[in-house]
Amino acid sequence: MRRRAFFVVGLPVLLVMAQAWAASDVRGVRLWRAPDNTRLVFDLSGPVQHNVFTLAAPDRIVIDVSNAALKTSIEQLPLKNTPITGMRAAQRTADELRLVIDLSAEVTPKSFTLDPNQEYGHRLVVDLFDKGSDVDTPSVPATVTPSVPAAPVAPTLPATKRPTSPSARRDIVIAIDAGHGGEDPGALGPGNAREKDVVLAIAKRLQTQINAEKGYRAELTRTGDYFIPLRKRTEIARKKGADLFVSIHADAAPRSVAYGASVYALSDRGATSETARWLADTENQSDLIGGVGNVSLDDKDRMLAGVLLDLSMTATLSSSLDVGQRVLRNMGRIAPLHKDRVEQAGFMVLKSPDIPSILVETGFISNPGEANKLRSANHQQALARSIHTGIRQFFQQSPPPGTYIAWLRDSGKVSIGMREHTVRSGESLALIAQRYQVTLDSLRRANKLDSNIIKIGQTLTIPASTLASQQ
């Protein structure tokens, strides 16, 4: 009886083992090109074991996949602007597939497997990093030495941002991060709505609006459809000299009735709501590569290092909550809000001690009504405008030292909030007034206009926003 019981219990285990070792088919191959790497994604019918190594003279990558067979063509991939010149495949043994990638230049490979998600099944991902890319460099500077502000204002800028002379007046730099991208579609909505596409469109509109205003410069962390690890996004922002990091998303919720825009800042404790916790977990799971993200304070006494980091986080979180509340208030004028305050959660993409950072959820793409709006060019433009207005209001009150906006405030020549706008094709005076949230009459008075007629290329003075002064 004991032996019979053993075999009955062991049968499911044997079945699981047999399934685990069953051959998997490579059913498709996709390719994504990013500025410093090329990503190959092999779609699989099941999990696999694999090994990747490089060969020289000529340069090539070899991928051995155990218990797999090729069931698709690998000859039609778009190889232009990549280091890949061709791909070959052969069944090395009865149960091992060998893939060879021919290269025109040396690369550094990294590989990993992915479990199924909403859109794809099992996958093998091989990233080929261009020579000279910073794939293995830390994502933060070696040392962070934060200042202690007397009041909640933007943190003191790193030395690389300070002007070289009193007359130097730099732009305020806004890093705009469109979430997800490439192999990672983000949340999926009805009608084939994909988060990665919607947020990139909004990010580009926001960049255009910010760059049209003197004293500001917007930089995108990604400019196309490719994936960037979460920690590298803040690294890109830091390299651009960012004064503010804004991550744009359009997430989903377990229930399709969830709706409304939200703004999040980092929390050094628990999340402020169950939704914030769920969204943070979802976003953090999208970083499938990993890497280091800790601030190095090795040259400091342990207690001093903790104090310095705590002070930096306090100052930065204070600024993040400030700008986040202004953005949220303006978004509430054109879209329903999920919560009427900035929420906090442990988003990995916001963990940058020296840059104020916010994550903007433009709506729930899982909600059919909001999905339709998020795909609308007019709504995207309005969302970008509301985010831009909140950012402007924050920096009018707390402009970083050495910037053009700080000079406007401190010189007394122009009151804070007075800005310039160059008229572009398709713009009307009423549209410009709406964009900057000023009245049409005040805009005419500021420019001594007798009518609403303006010309392309004309420079307009934008008066201080009444809304901004009230906040």
Side-chain angles (χ1 to χ4, degrees):
M1 293 297 294
R2 186 174 301 171
R3 177 178 298 179
R4 184 180 303 165
F6 171 81
F7 281 107
V8 171
V9 172
L11 183 58
V13 177
L14 293 174
L15 289 174
V16 170
M17 291 177 62
Q19 291 171 356
W21 286 100
S24 295
D25 295 336
V26 178
R27 295 177 170 177
V29 186
R30 290 171 287 125
L31 181 148
W32 312 89
R33 177 62 188 170
D36 64 349
N37 71 86
T38 303
R39 169 168 284 194
L40 283 165
V41 180
F42 298 90
D43 292 305
L44 309 168
S45 62
V48 298
Q49 298 291 324
H50 75 284
N51 181 42
V52 177
F53 58 94
T54 61
L55 295 174
D59 291 320
R60 55 203 188 279
I61 302 291
V62 178
I63 309 167
D64 286 335
V65 188
S66 300
N67 301 298
L70 184 65
K71 300 294 184 179
T72 186
S73 171
I74 59 174
E75 299 173 354
Q76 307 300 322
L77 292 174
L79 303 180
K80 187 177 179 180
N81 299 322
T82 76
I84 302 174
T85 59
M87 290 182 62
R88 295 170 281 133
Q91 206 68 37
R92 187 163 177 257
T93 65
D95 60 353
E96 183 173 78
L97 173 66
R98 169 161 286 187
L99 299 160
V100 180
I101 303 172
D102 297 313
L103 303 168
S104 60
E106 183 181 347
V107 299
T108 300
K110 284 198 171 184
S111 64
F112 53 94
T113 57
L114 297 176
D115 293 330
N117 63 11
Q118 284 181 286
E119 190 169 6
Y120 302 113
H122 288 277
R123 288 150 290 162
L124 167 62
V125 180
V126 180
D127 285 332
L128 307 178
F129 290 90
D130 301 344
K131 187 175 182 179
S133 64
D134 52 359
V135 58
D136 291 321
T137 58
S139 60
V140 291
T143 303
V144 172
T145 307
S147 61
V148 185
V153 297
T156 301
L157 301 170
T160 54
K161 290 184 183 176
R162 295 188 182 116
T164 56
S165 69
S167 61
R169 296 188 290 271
R170 69 174 183 85
D171 291 337
I172 292 174
V173 181
I174 316 298
I176 306 171
D177 173 54
H180 306 278
E183 169 65 11
D184 177 14
L188 303 176
N192 199 33
R194 299 187 299 184
E195 180 183 3
K196 67 173 183 177
D197 301 326
V198 167
V199 298
L200 182 60
I202 295 172
K204 288 182 174 180
R205 294 179 188 280
L206 178 58
Q207 181 191 35
T208 298
Q209 292 181 16
I210 291 174
N211 286 343
E213 187 170 354
K214 186 175 181 180
Y216 293 87
R217 186 176 84 252
E219 299 279 0
L220 297 178
T221 60
R222 72 174 176 98
T223 58
D225 186 15
Y226 50 85
F227 177 79
I228 303 176
L230 295 179
R231 289 185 178 95
K232 187 164 185 181
R233 295 171 187 260
T234 52
E235 177 187 348
I236 293 172
R238 188 174 290 104
K239 287 184 175 180
K240 299 286 188 181
D243 298 289
L244 175 67
F245 180 87
V246 181
S247 191
I248 310 292
H249 289 256
D251 224 310
R255 299 174 60 205
S256 63
V257 295
Y259 72 94
S262 306
V263 177
Y264 295 85
L266 178 66
S267 172
D268 56 354
R269 296 181 180 85
T272 53
S273 76
E274 205 53 45
T275 301
R277 182 179 296 107
W278 186 85
L279 289 175
D281 290 343
T282 302
E283 294 301 333
N284 291 345
Q285 288 172 6
S286 73
D287 189 357
L288 302 167
I289 296 178
V292 296
N294 297 320
V295 175
S296 175
L297 293 167
D298 294 338
D299 61 333
K300 302 290 189 296
D301 172 84
R302 181 178 296 274
M303 181 173 291
L304 175 60
V307 172
L308 289 174
L309 186 57
D310 183 61
L311 290 173
S312 174
M313 290 298 291
T314 301
T316 305
L317 283 176
S318 169
S319 296
S320 299
L321 291 169
D322 188 353
V323 67
Q325 191 61 46
R326 294 171 189 270
V327 167
L328 185 67
R329 188 179 294 120
N330 282 280
M331 290 180 69
R333 296 189 174 102
I334 56 98
L337 297 179
H338 189 68
K339 291 286 179 68
D340 60 1
R341 70 184 188 282
V342 177
E343 298 199 72
Q344 294 179 261
F347 290 97
M348 191 180 299
V349 75
L350 300 183
K351 293 182 179 179
S352 181
D354 54 336
I355 306 176
S357 306
I358 59 173
L359 185 146
V360 178
E361 291 286 354
T362 53
F364 284 89
I365 205 169
S366 52
N367 181 300
E370 292 205 339
N372 288 333
K373 291 174 64 178
L374 288 169
R375 298 171 73 181
S376 160
N378 289 338
H379 189 64
Q380 291 173 1
Q381 190 76 359
L383 282 170
R385 188 179 301 116
S386 66
I387 298 169
H388 179 202
T389 302
I391 291 170
R392 185 195 311 117
Q393 291 171 357
F394 169 72
F395 282 115
Q396 285 174 358
Q397 298 299 319
S398 304
T403 61
Y404 175 78
I405 303 303
W407 174 80
L408 285 181
R409 182 194 65 178
D410 299 338
S411 67
K413 295 179 181 179
V414 185
S415 62
I416 190 66
M418 296 287 279
R419 304 172 297 281
E420 292 181 348
H421 176 86
T422 302
V423 179
R424 292 174 294 171
S425 176
E427 291 184 326
S428 66
L429 198 66
L431 182 63
I432 295 171
Q434 180 186 13
R435 172 178 172 180
Y436 289 98
Q437 296 200 356
V438 298
T439 65
L440 195 56
D441 286 341
S442 67
L443 187 56
R444 280 197 298 260
R445 286 196 302 269
N447 293 276
K448 300 179 181 179
L449 298 175
D450 297 326
S451 68
N452 293 345
I453 299 174
I454 52 177
K455 299 178 180 179
I456 296 174
Q458 181 178 352
T459 299
L460 298 176
T461 297
I462 309 297
S465 169
T466 302
L467 291 173
S469 64
Q470 291 175 350
Q471 296 167 11

